[in-house]
Amino acid sequence: FFRVCFSFCYAPIAMLAHHHHHQQQPLKLQALGRGRCSSHYSRARSLSCRRSSSILAASSQAASASSKSADSKNTSSKKEYLTPYSSFATQNQVTCVLGSQWGDEGKGKLVDVLAQTYDVVCRCQGGANAGHTIYDDDGKKFALHLVPSGILNQNAMNVIGNGVVVHLPSLFKELDTLAEQGVPYEGRLLLSDRAHLLFTLHMVMDGAGEEKRGGDQIGTTRRGIGPAYSAKTSRSGLRVCDLLSGDKEAFVSRYMRLVEDAEKRFPDAVDVDAMKADVDTYLDLIPRVREIVADTVTYVNDAYDSGKRILLEGANATLLDIDFGTYPYVTSSNPSLGGMCTGLGLAPSKASQCVVGVVKAYLTRVGAGPFPTELDGEIADFLREKGGEYGTTTGRPRRIGWLDVVALRYTVQINGFTELNVTKLDVLDECEEVKICTGYRLKGEETGTFPASATDLELCEPIYESMPGWNTDTTKCKSYDDLPAEARAYIERMEELSGCSVRWIGVGPGRDAMVWKN
């Protein structure tokens, strides 16, 4: 108890002890552009449960040994940024990190930093269409797609939950790349036996479906996510447990039925012989899959009951949610809080203890769909280049816009965010003026609500509130008081309009480039 209290009280003091303030000559950029409307059986389950229990026990022993080893070292060598995060972690056994916009908000960085103090890190929905870019203490860059961001914490167990659709060749390629970069995964990654498999067939269908839409394309990543979830909901999909059932003939037979159905829909796109060869790739991967598969529902709940701290990592974002997003320009899963529960098997009462919404200081979107605050011209080009706004998964340039608080309030309502993490504040450092969309003008009337219809949202004209820029380099700021007064005013106005407090502010790509707002 006293150690927890000491950590909580010491956090703001440690952050205030390192003030750095650096100014540079600003680039004179005006706020240009215009707002425009533009996630055998009983025996198999028993074996998996026993495996999960043994994994949990081994994980506990490893964490205990690591903790003793860490305690024996000089604590002065610890990274300073860990102090406030350690304090935060002691207050919440379960924390959920979700995107509050159209994705690409920088969720991976917060998850990566928080993961240093959590025992289990979980992905719950989506697939390889999600991309998280994170950096280690030495500034080394890692691009993740299926693997949870906690993989850089050698003491954390990483879980790919049942709600994720998994392309196994891509998963193992990603794991092999991490191993080459010095990040081993053995014994630190679990794949749910209930997760659905994504095949090359689904990617072919995804691309063919987009082409068939002609001028009404959604702008998918063509990674096969939609068709894989379609197979799941039509109850014709194949899961990891099916691959490991021991009945290869039944697995291949069910797979070929998927191929035959796809050929009827897209006869010019589906090469039956090529698809037959693809299933052999999956059969060849069975030994590697066995090394990481587990009953993750049992594992995660046992971890919770034993007091382990659990971090849930959302992929994509709420405005891309299949139910709450800008339908049909959405993903095929639920990247909101509900999807964290159904995609992992953790009860809502456990998963909603602390829900962090990640919000970029401005707004971006990839692919088609309405975007009321979208910018074009010099300011959009400048923010895109300075912010590195190109997709981690696709490399596509992201569309750029001002912060939309109407949309942010909407996602706060849906997820019940307890706090916000504002990212990439430093990208706005050289703007002489910044804008916040506080409402819409739709068909001649003002509204403060987010429309259900994508057509209506396309017609919405943003109502802006302008604020002065700060023309100051924020990347060296270590505490909230270090930030320029204008930057603090921007953050506080965001809090006031969204109804949710900000706890973290990102001021650069590195782990330590994060300001703690107590």
Side-chain angles (χ1 to χ4, degrees), residues 451-516:
S453 165
T455 302
D456 284 347
L457 189 60
E458 189 74 48
L459 295 173
C460 284
E461 298 176 12
I463 300 171
Y464 284 122
E465 181 177 307
S466 296
M467 301 184 70
W470 39 95
N471 290 325
T472 303
D473 180 8
T474 60
T475 60
K476 304 298 189 297
C477 295
K478 297 296 182 182
S479 76
Y480 187 66
D481 288 340
D482 278 350
L483 291 174
E486 296 84 357
R488 296 198 304 270
Y490 183 67
I491 295 296
E492 288 159 19
R493 186 61 176 148
M494 191 189 307
E495 290 179 315
E496 182 181 356
L497 292 169
S498 68
C500 192
S501 61
V502 172
R503 185 180 288 263
W504 304 277
I505 303 154
V507 291
R511 276 180 179 173
D512 58 345
M514 188 89 84
V515 170
W516 168 272

Side-chain angles (χ1 to χ4, degrees), residues 53 196 208 253 266 293 317 361 399 458 484:
S53 298
H196 275 253
S253 176
F266 306 107
V293 74
R399 299 157 65 188
E458 189 74 48

Side-chain angles (χ1 to χ4, degrees), residues 205-256:
M205 294 172 67
D206 202 359
E210 276 286 85
E211 294 300 326
K212 198 172 183 179
R213 291 188 181 96
D216 295 324
Q217 293 188 11
I218 292 172
T220 76
T221 60
R222 305 193 181 206
R223 291 293 195 272
I225 309 302
Y229 276 113
S230 294
K232 175 179 179 176
T233 54
S234 66
R235 291 158 292 186
S236 58
L238 287 161
R239 301 189 295 172
V240 173
C241 58
D242 299 319
L243 179 64
L244 303 182
S245 68
D247 192 341
K248 293 183 180 180
E249 185 177 337
F251 181 83
V252 172
S253 176
R254 289 177 59 187
Y255 170 79
M256 290 309 299

Side-chain angles (χ1 to χ4, degrees), residues 98-118:
L98 300 173
S100 67
Q101 298 165 321
W102 279 297
D104 306 310
E105 300 94 347
K107 298 177 290 295
K109 175 180 172 179
L110 180 64
V111 171
D112 171 48
V113 176
L114 287 178
Q116 308 307 307
T117 60
Y118 279 75

Side-chain angles (χ1 to χ4, degrees), residues 201 205 212 256-270 272:
L201 173 68
M205 294 172 67
K212 198 172 183 179
M256 290 309 299
R257 284 202 295 271
L258 289 175
V259 174
E260 291 164 6
D261 289 342
E263 186 188 21
K264 291 175 185 177
R265 291 183 58 196
F266 306 107
D268 296 330
V270 176
V272 175

Side-chain angles (χ1 to χ4, degrees), residues 49 52-53 56 296-308:
C49 287
S52 293
S53 298
L56 182 59
T296 56
V297 175
T298 299
Y299 173 81
V300 171
N301 280 280
D302 284 351
Y304 179 88
D305 292 341
S306 68
K308 296 287 185 183

Side-chain angles (χ1 to χ4, degrees), residues 68-88:
K68 291 176 181 177
S69 174
D71 287 343
S72 66
K73 294 180 180 180
N74 187 344
T75 57
S76 64
S77 66
K78 287 187 177 181
K79 288 287 180 180
E80 292 164 5
Y81 66 80
L82 282 181
T83 303
Y85 296 102
S86 300
S87 172
F88 175 78

